[in-house]
């Protein structure tokens, strides 16, 4: 790992219900927030109208010091009468992989494109007969007493599936090769497919809880472990007639290090909870583990703090995420760089450009 300390700042506008916020510093999450999840605060049935269809949410996405992204997202939620509730998400983005300083100094751009499809199907929903429970209840105190003592907490269980494909190319520098073969162009096409479950409960020990776990298969490379540099090539041209010369300098972004591609099986676990006695605060605990046939499992752990709008657990508008990579020190090659090398801080905020909803 070549990065000593990462401070990532993002401006994110994916989706209207916060699914672009509740993630780790690299944009991974095993939970997908959907409009089917209702607000943290308790309310009368007529105050929480059923969402029939969300036709689409569109946004122009993320810029961070590590991942400079620009993308477009589509998201729809459906409640058909003869089938379970489900949602569909489609996103595409382009990411600059080289450092910001390198872009300005050399003008070279190393890019990556990604296309992602997400699906979710509701497997279980706790149903409540609000008409019977609230019959004859007129005051706020009577209604609140029913909500507190006569109802089971609202909860959902979802099956989630997502898959993404990425493509990138970059130039690798091999100093031990012959001069003409030192620059090698690498082209990488990867995929990441995950399946898992999400569980939401509106009231567990005075908290709203959303938990998720996914397992999948992923083709990846170790691009982040390579060392970025700028190669300069100088060509001297002379004119015997005028007895003048001209030096032409060409700058090129290259990467050095032992490059490899591998297949891993990612295991992602997220626990997101909103304490009812704290206003507009949500907390996230997550772990990311890559299991492979050839190496020991490498685990990243993290903690996130999120700021909500109107006490809505699923509408965060900003957040801080702290992560620590390789918590069990499986990869000892970077130990000389110290523990600070493995610490990651991410700062994120969101602006909704389009949030078109149809209710009934």
């Amino acid at each position: 790992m070549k990065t000593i300390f990462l401070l990532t700042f993002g401006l994110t506008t994916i989706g209207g219900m916060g699914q672009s916020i509740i993630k780790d510093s690299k944009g991974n999450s095993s939970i997908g927030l959907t409009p089917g999840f209702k607000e943290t605060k308790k309310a009368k049935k007529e105050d929480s109208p059923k969402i029939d269809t969300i036709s689409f949410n569109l946004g122009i996405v993320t810029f961070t010091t590590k991942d400079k992204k620009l993308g477009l997202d589509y998201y729809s939620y459906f409640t058909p009468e003869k089938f379970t509730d489900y949602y569909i998400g489609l996103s595409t983005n382009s990411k600059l992989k080289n450092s910001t300083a390198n872009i300005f100094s050399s003008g070279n751009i190393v890019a990556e494109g990604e296309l992602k499809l997400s699906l979710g199907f509701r497997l279980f929903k706790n149903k409540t007969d609000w008409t019977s429970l609230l019959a004859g209840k007129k005051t706020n105190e009577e209604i609140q007493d029913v909500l507190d003592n006569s109802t089971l907490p609202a909860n959902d269980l979802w099956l989630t599936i997502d898959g993404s494909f990425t493509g990138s190319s970059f130039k690798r520098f091999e100093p031990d090769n012959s001069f003409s073969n030192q620059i090698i162009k690498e082209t990488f096409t990867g995929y990441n497919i995950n399946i898992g479950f999400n569980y939401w409960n509106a009231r567990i020990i005075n908290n709203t809880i959303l938990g998720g776990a996914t397992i999948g298969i992923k083709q990846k490379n170790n691009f982040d472990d390579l060392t970025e540099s700028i190669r300069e090539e100088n060509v001297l041209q002379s004119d015997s007639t005028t007895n003048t010369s001209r030096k032409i300098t060409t700058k090129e972004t290259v990467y050095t290090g032992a490059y490899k591609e591998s297949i891993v099986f990612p295991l992602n676990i997220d626990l997101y909870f909103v304490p009812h006695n704290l206003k507009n605060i949500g907390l996230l605990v997550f772990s990311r583990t890559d299991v492979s046939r050839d190496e020991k499992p490498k685990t990243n752990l993290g903690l996130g703090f999120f700021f909500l709008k109107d006490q809505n657990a699923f509408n965060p508008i900003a957040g801080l995420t702290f992560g620590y990579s390789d918590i069990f020190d499986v990869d000892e090659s970077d130990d000389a760089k110290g523990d600070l090398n493995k610490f990651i801080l991410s700062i994120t905020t969101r602006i909704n450009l389009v949030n078109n909803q149809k209710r009934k």
Side-chain angles (χ1 to χ4, degrees), residues 66-70 93-97 110-113:
K66 179 175 175 57
D67 297 326
K68 285 75 67 179
K69 287 185 179 181
L70 181 66
N93 67 71
S94 179
K95 177 172 67 175
L96 302 183
K97 296 178 72 67
V110 179
E112 177 184 83

Side-chain angles (χ1 to χ4, degrees), residues 33-174:
L33 305 187
T34 77
F37 298 126
K38 298 301 187 290
E39 295 185 356
T40 304
K41 59 184 181 181
K42 303 164 187 173
K44 295 163 56 178
K45 182 181 179 183
E46 53 266 33
D47 294 332
S48 301
K50 179 181 178 183
I51 297 179
D52 175 45
T53 300
I54 289 196
S55 56
F56 59 85
N57 288 318
L58 295 177
I60 297 178
V61 272
T62 307
F63 180 87
T64 70
T65 56
K66 179 175 175 57
D67 297 326
K68 285 75 67 179
K69 287 185 179 181
L70 181 66
L72 185 65
D73 288 70
Y74 168 89
Y75 178 81
S76 287
Y77 181 91
F78 304 93
T79 59
E81 294 183 0
K82 297 183 178 180
F83 189 66
T84 186
D85 293 4
Y86 67 96
Y87 67 83
I88 299 174
L90 179 66
S91 66
T92 177
N93 67 71
S94 179
K95 177 172 67 175
L96 302 183
K97 296 178 72 67
N98 45 332
S99 66
T100 305
N102 183 301
I103 295 173
F104 286 107
S105 61
S106 69
N108 295 154
I109 292 178
V110 179
E112 177 184 83
E114 181 184 45
L115 178 66
K116 182 177 181 179
L117 174 66
S118 300
L119 300 171
F121 301 92
R122 192 199 301 270
L123 302 180
F124 170 82
K125 178 181 181 180
N126 180 29
K127 297 182 179 180
T128 302
D129 187 354
W130 292 105
T131 302
S132 300
L133 287 174
L134 297 178
K137 306 296 193 261
K138 297 181 180 181
T139 67
N140 292 334
E141 290 76 12
E142 290 175 330
I143 294 173
Q144 190 64 52
D145 181 67
V146 170
L147 294 172
D148 290 337
N149 302 308
S150 303
T151 63
L152 294 174
N155 59 89
D156 291 352
L157 178 65
W158 288 74
L159 172 68
T160 62
I161 305 169
D162 67 73
S164 64
F165 294 89
T166 59
S168 63
S169 63
F170 59 94
K171 294 180 179 179
R172 196 161 53 85
F173 182 69
E174 286 287 354

Side-chain angles (χ1 to χ4, degrees), residues 309-336:
K309 181 179 181 181
D310 300 328
Q311 298 184 12
N312 185 344
F314 307 110
N315 192 18
I317 56 176
L320 299 168
T321 303
F322 303 88
Y324 191 86
S325 61
D326 195 12
I327 188 71
F328 300 113
D329 198 23
V330 172
D331 182 7
E332 300 178 354
S333 62
D334 58 354
D335 286 356

